């Protein structure tokens, strides 16, 4: 159990942060205070210099204090897009490291894990990474223990993938501080059907046709798992067949029936989705992106990318830049 004192939470906001993640954390805490009849939680909005920021929905928020005014604070969550960063990285990252040394729990929600990891405070800590950012995160932080669970926490670090996961994380904070009955009532207030915990994997959209549903047949699902683990070093359908104990022809038939695609086209679509994450959410050169998804040169990447998305990677990156908000932050944020 956390101590009985009021828990002070700071939300460090960067331009382009996902507004839903902020409200998904604050609203259950507010409701818990009302239900319990006490101010168990308090919170404040923080920016690097105390400046105003804009969410990914272009809604402006006014900070209550600057990063230099964060001490003492119990928990600090970073909310941002993947490309967000401090105007003065040396100072901002130094403050986060100082807060960590003095006992502040640090966390990141959705894209907020990117500046959190860049600060150096996540060494040795696992991280929840939203599936939409998985390839970009792996490209920038190959040494990190990135996980697909909706919530990943340890004693001093809290990370969550997206707004619904942030709500779940808030419910866990409420349960720890005020008990399960209050957490359950808060969930009922918002018609939140269940409180997900550690170990629950994210729901990820498949590349199958809309009428196939979310559940793939066991053979196809096993093949997809093998494809997903071989994005940078492609695996042949023959090798997949050998590892699953069937023939390539059986895999072809299973994919056609379940997805309407051949396994090779399904696999290519997965690799193109990974490529697009890196195109949109990193500044990596196209040659590096091509290598990251298993191509020896840029030419086949451009060909397959255009076939998948209707424009080249460079055109897609330029188009995304036109919709970026101040501070070079991409939209949308999750």
């Amino acid at each position: 159990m956390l101590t009985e004192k009021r828990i002070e939470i700071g939300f460090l906001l960067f331009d382009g942060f996902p507004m839903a993640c902020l409200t998904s954390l604050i609203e259950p805490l507010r409701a818990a205070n009302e239900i319990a009849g006490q101010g168990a939680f308090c919170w404040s909005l923080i920016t690097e210099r105390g400046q105003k920021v804009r969410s990914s929905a272009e809604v402006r928020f006014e900070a209550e204090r600057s990063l230099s005014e964060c001490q003492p604070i119990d928990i600090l969550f970073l909310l941002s897009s993947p490309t967000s960063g401090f105007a003065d990285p040396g100072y901002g990252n130094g403050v986060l490291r100082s807060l960590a040394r003095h006992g502040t729990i640090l966390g990141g929600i959705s894209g907020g894990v990117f500046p959190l990891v860049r600060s150096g405070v996540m060494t040795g800590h696992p991280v929840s990474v939203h599936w939409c950012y998985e390839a970009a995160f792996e490209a920038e932080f190959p040494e990190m223990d990135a996980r697909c669970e909706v919530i990943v926490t340890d004693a001093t670090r809290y990370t969550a993938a997206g707004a619904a996961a942030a709500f779940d994380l808030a419910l866990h904070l409420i349960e720890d501080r005020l008990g399960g009955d209050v957490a359950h009532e808060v969930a009922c207030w918002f018609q939140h059907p269940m409180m997900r915990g550690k170990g629950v994997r994210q729901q990820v959209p498949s590349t199958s046709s809309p009428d196939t549903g979310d559940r793939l047949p066991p053979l196809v699902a096993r093949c997809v798992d093998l494809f997903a683990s071989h994005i940078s070093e492609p695996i042949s359908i023959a090798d997949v067949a050998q590892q699953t104990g069937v023939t390539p022809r059986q895999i072809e038939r299973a994919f056609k029936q379940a997805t309407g695609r051949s396994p090779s086209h399904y696999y290519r679509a997965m690799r193109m989705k990974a490529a697009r994450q890196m195109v949109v959410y990193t500044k990596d050169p196209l040659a590096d992106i091509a290598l990251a998804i298993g191509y020896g040169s840029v030419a086949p990447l451009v060909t397959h990318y255009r076939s998948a998305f209707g424009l080249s990677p460079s055109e897609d990156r330029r188009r995304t830049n036109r919709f970026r908000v101040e501070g070079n932050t991409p939209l949308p944020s999750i």
Side-chain angles (χ1 to χ4, degrees):
M1 296 286 287
L2 295 174
T3 61
E4 292 303 309
K5 75 178 184 69
R6 185 171 66 171
I7 297 174
E8 185 173 0
I9 301 174
F11 299 103
L12 178 57
L13 308 180
F14 295 78
D15 274 317
F17 78 94
M19 188 168 62
C21 291
L22 177 65
T23 57
S24 291
L25 282 164
I26 289 179
E27 283 300 303
L29 300 177
R30 185 268 307 170
N33 284 348
E34 292 187 27
I35 291 168
Q38 59 177 286
F41 301 95
C42 65
W43 49 85
S44 57
L45 304 185
I46 300 164
T47 58
E48 182 177 359
R49 302 180 303 277
Q51 79 278 16
K52 293 181 180 179
V53 294
R54 286 188 294 180
S55 72
S56 59
E58 298 289 339
V59 178
R60 291 183 177 272
F61 286 77
E62 188 159 349
E64 297 165 74
R65 49 179 162 165
S66 67
L67 188 58
S68 63
E69 301 167 314
C70 273
Q71 292 181 315
I73 196 169
D74 298 302
I75 306 173
L76 180 68
F77 287 111
L78 277 65
L79 284 80
S80 75
S81 81
T83 58
S84 296
F86 291 111
D88 183 348
Y91 172 75
N93 294 336
V95 171
L96 293 187
R97 292 193 291 269
S98 176
L99 288 171
R101 287 194 300 271
H102 289 86
T104 295
I105 294 172
L106 299 177
I109 308 298
S110 191
V113 301
F114 282 77
L116 186 67
V117 173
R118 291 184 191 116
S119 72
V121 300
M122 293 302 292
T123 301
H125 299 275
V127 184
S128 171
V129 178
H130 195 287
W131 64 265
C132 187
Y133 303 142
E134 182 180 10
F137 189 90
E138 171 65 22
E140 185 172 355
F141 311 112
E143 76 288 352
M144 290 300 302
D145 182 7
R147 301 187 182 178
C148 63
E149 287 90 350
V150 293
I151 297 171
V152 174
T153 66
D154 57 27
T156 61
R157 302 290 186 272
Y158 298 162
T159 56
F167 197 105
D168 292 319
L169 180 54
L171 290 177
H172 283 284
L173 295 177
I174 294 164
E175 182 178 47
D176 289 344
R177 176 65 175 81
L178 298 171
D181 289 343
V182 174
H184 177 70
E185 186 168 347
V186 170
C188 291
W189 268 31
F190 294 95
Q191 292 297 291
H192 196 73
M194 60 181 293
M195 180 172 68
R196 298 172 297 175
K198 292 188 289 186
V200 177
R201 295 172 64 90
Q202 299 173 42
Q203 289 290 315
V204 179
S206 72
T207 59
S208 57
S209 301
D211 58 356
T212 63
D214 293 331
R215 300 180 65 86
L216 292 171
L219 173 59
V220 176
R222 291 199 303 272
C223 294
V224 170
D225 285 342
L226 285 169
F227 292 161
S229 64
H230 290 80
I231 295 296
S232 60
E233 297 180 357
I235 186 172
S236 69
I237 303 302
D239 285 340
V240 170
Q242 184 176 27
Q243 293 191 37
T244 54
V246 298
T247 66
R249 181 60 183 157
Q250 286 174 288
I251 292 177
E252 289 280 347
R253 286 198 302 265
F255 267 86
K256 284 287 188 180
Q257 184 175 1
T259 72
R261 303 185 188 190
S262 70
S264 59
H265 283 124
Y266 192 103
Y267 190 13
R268 182 188 297 170
M270 293 177 66
R271 294 167 68 195
M272 287 304 102
K273 285 188 175 183
R276 190 164 195 270
Q277 289 180 33
M278 287 181 273
V279 167
V280 173
Y281 296 120
T282 76
K283 297 179 182 178
D284 293 349
L286 293 186
D288 291 350
I289 294 174
L291 288 174
I293 64 164
Y295 288 114
S297 66
V298 171
L301 167 65
V302 172
T303 299
H304 293 157
Y305 198 100
R306 188 183 296 278
S307 176
F309 305 115
L311 70 177
S312 72
S314 297
E315 291 167 342
D316 200 6
R317 184 169 273 176
R318 285 195 297 270
R319 186 187 68 170
T320 300
N321 285 339
R322 288 201 297 270
F323 292 96
R324 293 182 184 227
V325 298
E326 181 182 354
N328 200 33
T329 301
L331 299 175
S333 295
I334 308 298

